[in-house]
């Protein structure tokens, strides 16, 4: 099977996001930010996986565009955690 670098990297990123979310909950007791970063950060990889089986080129582009938006939102939440 052919290697999919984007799929691999977004999966590894999701694992790191889960760890960050746990730390936010356990160390800073910050549940709202933890939930937001977890939701947006893990959805990136899920959307990349969905794009792999897109029904059309337009569907593929749409799913990856949404993944990019989720990445941008995740960056926002990560930046917000630096203020806690």
């Amino acid at each position: 099977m052919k290697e999919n670098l984007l799929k691999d990297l977004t999966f590894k990123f999701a694992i790191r996001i889960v760890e960050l979310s746990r730390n936010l909950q356990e160390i800073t007791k910050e549940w709202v930010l933890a939930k937001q970063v977890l939701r947006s950060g893990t959805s990136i990889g899920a959307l990349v996986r969905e794009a792999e089986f897109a029904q059309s080129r337009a569907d593929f582009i749409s799913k990856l565009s949404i993944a990019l938006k989720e990445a941008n939102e995740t960056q926002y939440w990560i930046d917000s955690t630096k203020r806690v």
Side-chain angles (χ1 to χ4, degrees):
M1 183 173 273
K2 189 175 180 183
E3 183 180 332
N4 186 329
L5 184 59
L6 184 58
K7 188 168 115 175
D8 295 342
L9 289 175
T10 55
F11 182 76
K12 289 176 185 174
F13 182 73
I15 291 170
R16 293 185 69 194
I17 286 294
V18 170
E19 292 170 0
L20 172 61
S21 179
R22 278 191 194 136
N23 286 337
L24 283 169
Q25 290 176 44
E26 292 172 5
I27 297 169
T28 66
K29 307 299 183 205
E30 181 52 67
W31 290 276
V32 174
L33 286 176
K35 183 178 178 180
Q36 291 287 31
V37 76
L38 180 66
R39 186 193 58 75
S40 63
T42 56
S43 70
I44 300 165
L47 285 159
V48 168
R49 291 265 178 120
E50 281 186 51
E52 208 175 10
F53 295 99
Q55 295 175 341
S56 65
R57 183 174 193 290
D59 188 33
F60 176 80
I61 291 168
S62 174
K63 289 193 182 346
L64 289 185
S65 295
I66 296 168
L68 180 59
K69 289 179 184 181
E70 291 293 331
N72 184 50
E73 181 182 341
T74 302
Q75 183 64 58
Y76 172 83
W77 293 120
I78 290 172
D79 291 345
S80 296
T81 66
K82 295 173 185 172
R83 307 253 181 212
V84 176

